[in-house]
Amino acid sequence: MKSKRSFLYFFISGLLLLGIFSLTSCLEGDDDSFRTTSSVLFVNVYNDAAQGVNINVDDRKWTYGYRLYDSINTYNAFYSGTHSFSAIPEGLTSAVVSVSQDLKSDTLYTCFVTGKTGEGKMAFFVDTMASARSGKVKIRFVNLSPDMAKIDFGIADSTRKFINLEYLSAAYFTIDTGMRKYNVYSASLKTPLKSLNFRPSPGVTYTMYTKGLIARKGVDSVAISYFVQPVK
């Protein structure tokens, strides 16, 4: 009888120890169970890669990394944490820009690839998906033209929304719906450098931006562009 009790005691003790070991393994060793993700929307407005660019991630070729000039794709999910990103013109092997970026958990980003030969840039901006108030539109304006160190931005027949917005900087504003002319000025000048007639839809969040080079003609000439911030 005593030997049976001893056996039962050691058997139960063994099960308890196994359970504690398994729980500890789940909490400490199985890191993948707790990894969080971040999402990035990549937009290419780099001005000296006519065939587009490829985005590499952590020094490896990324299957989904090809981006045409001024084209919009979808958000891409990455594990949160620090990653290296680089942009390589289609047909070449050397990156025009490489950056290290810490992606915060459960956060949306837009990454713009911009610049020109010898001055490639990758700029990450945290996105908001918060809707504008009823009957209003939310717009994020970003200065992405390498030729515009500082710009003013305004709407025709009204005061300027932003003064001296620096290259690679962004600002938000909210506006009523309706057709308006959006103007970009060289800092402090009165004549618009570029204008865009635009009728936004209510309740939508847009990103609007300058792109291109003043001396260029064609697709990479200086302009104002925009897109609806896509749903994740």
Side-chain angles (χ1 to χ4, degrees):
M1 182 67 69
K2 185 176 179 179
S3 61
K4 289 183 178 180
R5 289 177 179 174
S6 298
F7 173 78
L8 183 61
Y9 171 79
F10 286 114
F11 179 74
I12 294 174
S13 298
L15 288 177
L16 290 173
L17 288 172
L18 180 62
I20 292 172
F21 175 77
S22 298
L23 179 60
T24 303
S25 297
C26 288
L27 292 176
E28 296 180 0
D30 191 10
D31 293 337
D32 285 347
S33 300
F34 298 92
R35 296 184 75 173
T36 58
T37 59
S38 311
S39 298
V40 183
L41 173 71
F42 291 94
V43 181
N44 167 34
V45 285
Y46 180 76
N47 295 285
D48 284 320
Q51 302 303 316
V53 300
N54 293 288
I55 309 296
N56 282 14
V57 181
D58 294 329
D59 300 320
R60 294 189 297 271
K61 185 175 181 179
W62 180 35
T63 304
Y64 309 103
Y66 178 68
R67 293 294 184 275
L68 286 171
Y69 186 83
D70 203 25
S71 63
I72 305 303
N73 205 291
T74 58
Y75 280 104
N76 300 101
F78 299 92
Y79 282 125
S80 303
T82 301
H83 297 275
S84 62
F85 297 94
S86 57
I88 303 172
E90 177 72 6
L92 301 181
T93 57
S94 298
V96 294
V97 58
S98 297
V99 299
S100 180
Q101 178 68 31
D102 182 20
L103 302 180
K104 302 299 183 184
S105 174
D106 300 321
T107 303
L108 304 179
Y109 297 86
T110 296
C111 172
F112 292 98
V113 183
T114 185
K116 54 187 177 180
T117 300
E119 300 177 11
K121 303 289 184 182
M122 295 184 84
F124 284 78
F125 295 89
V126 175
D127 298 340
T128 176
M129 300 307 295
S131 300
R133 301 189 306 274
S134 177
K136 301 284 187 178
V137 176
K138 182 175 289 186
I139 297 178
R140 173 177 59 185
F141 191 87
V142 192
N143 180 8
L144 295 172
S145 174
D147 286 351
M148 301 179 185
K150 291 184 179 181
I151 58 172
D152 296 350
F153 173 77
I155 298 170
D157 302 322
S158 67
T159 59
R160 299 193 182 188
K161 290 289 185 183
F162 312 122
I163 303 295
N164 290 331
L165 185 67
E166 295 184 349
Y167 178 47
L168 303 182
S169 295
Y172 279 91
F173 66 96
T174 300
I175 193 170
D176 295 327
T177 57
M179 177 66 75
R180 289 179 175 80
K181 180 177 286 188
Y182 295 78
N183 296 323
V184 167
Y185 307 82
S186 295
S188 302
L189 297 185
K190 294 183 178 181
T191 302
L193 182 62
K194 277 294 173 181
S195 299
L196 173 70
N197 291 314
F198 176 54
R199 185 192 299 273
S201 300
V204 176
T205 298
Y206 293 87
T207 290
M208 184 179 290
Y209 51 97
T210 61
K211 67 180 183 71
L213 302 174
I214 294 174
R216 295 286 174 88
K217 304 294 183 183
V219 67
D220 63 348
S221 61
V222 69
I224 304 171
S225 192
Y226 68 90
F227 60 86
V228 175
Q229 204 68 37
V231 178
K232 178 183 174 183

